[in-house]
Amino acid sequence: MDYHPILSLHNVWFTYPNGSHAVLQDISLEVRPGTISAVLGPNGAGKSTLLHLILGLYPPQRGEIRVGGRPLTAHSRQHLSRQIALVPQREHIPFEFRVLEYVLLGRTPHLDFLQMPGPEDVRAARRALEQLGIADLADRRVSALSGGEHQLVLIARAVAQETPILLLDEPTAHLDLANQRRILTLLQGLAAQGKTVLFTTHDPDTALAVADECVLMRAGRILHRGPVADVLTTEKLTQTYETPLRVIPVDGTRVVLLDFRAG
């Protein structure tokens, strides 16, 4: 495996315009190619903002972000869109797209200005729908989808973008258990193909299921980072969420429980 980071942040600070405090403070981390990394923390930890900075939607006030060994600022917008795809938590879609049309939007970085999608773009979009197990939704209107179906379509659009890096913001938050399993299996399959996956989650069990590396954040700072086995411990999770938690072994794996025995 390549041990050179495909994505790195060094001493990154960020404050929103007109903000009174830094949302991200002194953030440093490295992500290796072909790995799955999970960013965990409570609401307000800065997890979504971190993804938006990596995508280049906001510039950091201090520090540097590198993609593929090059500073983020050295990438054109189109080139960066060919390197990184984002699956947001939610997205308002103002037009009455059918699902296939919407997933085809993921092909935009591969097209010239005003160029229409071609047969290969349509094939890529259909492959993405098949990977997600939702090919039967191709002709449905996006506005008619359930919350879980909508989330799957968002992921299909990012998969159709065919980038080496995939960012996902709470990808399983609105899914039932069967679809959560489908998404986590998909992420493992993408990593096995050499894709680099970075996702945020509130759920430590999701990270335990698929992640290679973990980052624990609170109030805009990284508290702990490293291999899952080292980071997702009772003590470190309790510190991060400021609520009593226990990590216990079950049938050869580990699960996280709220510790109601604590005072």
Side-chain angles (χ1 to χ4, degrees):
M1 181 178 288
D2 187 353
Y3 284 89
H4 292 91
I6 190 172
L7 175 65
S8 62
L9 292 85
H10 182 66
N11 300 133
V12 168
W13 290 70
F14 176 73
T15 303
Y16 282 106
N18 302 318
S20 59
H21 66 281
V23 180
L24 297 177
Q25 304 176 53
D26 201 23
I27 300 295
S28 294
L29 63 91
E30 294 184 344
V31 179
R32 292 180 287 112
T35 60
I36 302 177
S37 298
V39 181
L40 294 91
N43 289 333
K47 304 186 300 295
S48 297
T49 301
L50 176 66
L51 297 189
H52 293 158
L53 261 69
I54 293 170
L55 197 65
L57 298 181
Y58 304 113
Q61 278 83 37
R62 290 161 55 186
E64 183 181 60
I65 301 172
R66 286 180 169 264
V67 176
R70 298 170 58 201
L72 197 64
T73 52
H75 296 266
S76 69
R77 170 49 56 188
Q78 183 180 43
H79 185 261
L80 194 61
S81 296
R82 291 177 179 177
Q83 303 303 306
I84 306 175
L86 172 69
V87 179
Q89 285 190 45
R90 60 188 67 85
E91 183 172 73
H92 173 65
I93 302 172
F95 303 107
E96 279 293 306
F97 286 110
R98 295 190 184 276
V99 167
L100 181 61
E101 294 171 334
Y102 180 73
V103 174
L104 269 170
L105 294 177
R107 301 300 300 166
T108 301
H110 302 278
L111 304 175
D112 293 330
F113 183 62
L114 296 180
Q115 182 183 358
M116 295 297 291
E120 179 52 39
D121 300 302
V122 174
R123 284 192 289 270
R126 290 195 181 278
R127 281 196 303 271
L129 290 172
E130 289 167 2
Q131 274 189 278
L132 271 293
I134 53 173
D136 58 315
L137 299 181
D139 295 323
R140 290 266 301 278
R141 294 195 180 278
V142 174
S143 59
L145 301 177
S146 69
E149 289 170 337
H150 188 273
Q151 183 71 0
L152 292 169
V153 169
L154 288 179
I155 296 172
R157 184 191 64 176
V159 171
Q161 200 168 326
E162 295 185 328
T163 58
I165 302 171
L166 185 63
L167 307 179
L168 304 100
D169 199 1
E170 298 282 352
T172 61
H174 306 293
L175 301 180
D176 59 27
L177 292 177
N179 281 322
Q180 286 182 35
R181 186 176 188 277
R182 179 188 299 183
I183 294 306
L184 296 178
T185 300
L186 172 70
L187 298 185
Q188 289 177 314
L190 291 172
Q193 296 168 21
K195 302 280 189 183
T196 304
V197 177
L198 176 66
F199 71 94
T200 68
T201 182
H202 288 90
D203 182 10
D205 287 322
T206 298
L208 281 167
V210 298
D212 304 300
E213 304 277 331
C214 274
V215 177
L216 297 182
M217 293 184 65
R218 183 171 189 87
R221 291 186 178 274
I222 291 178
L223 301 182
H224 306 283
R225 62 179 180 270
V228 169
D230 297 338
V231 172
L232 297 188
T233 66
T234 293
E235 294 76 18
K236 291 174 181 176
L237 286 170
T238 295
Q239 176 195 12
T240 300
Y241 288 95
E242 291 188 340
T243 193
L245 298 170
R246 284 191 297 147
V247 181
I248 63 172
V250 176
D251 292 336
T253 186
R254 294 187 300 157
V255 298
V256 180
L257 301 177
L258 286 167
D259 189 353
F260 290 103
R261 302 173 309 172

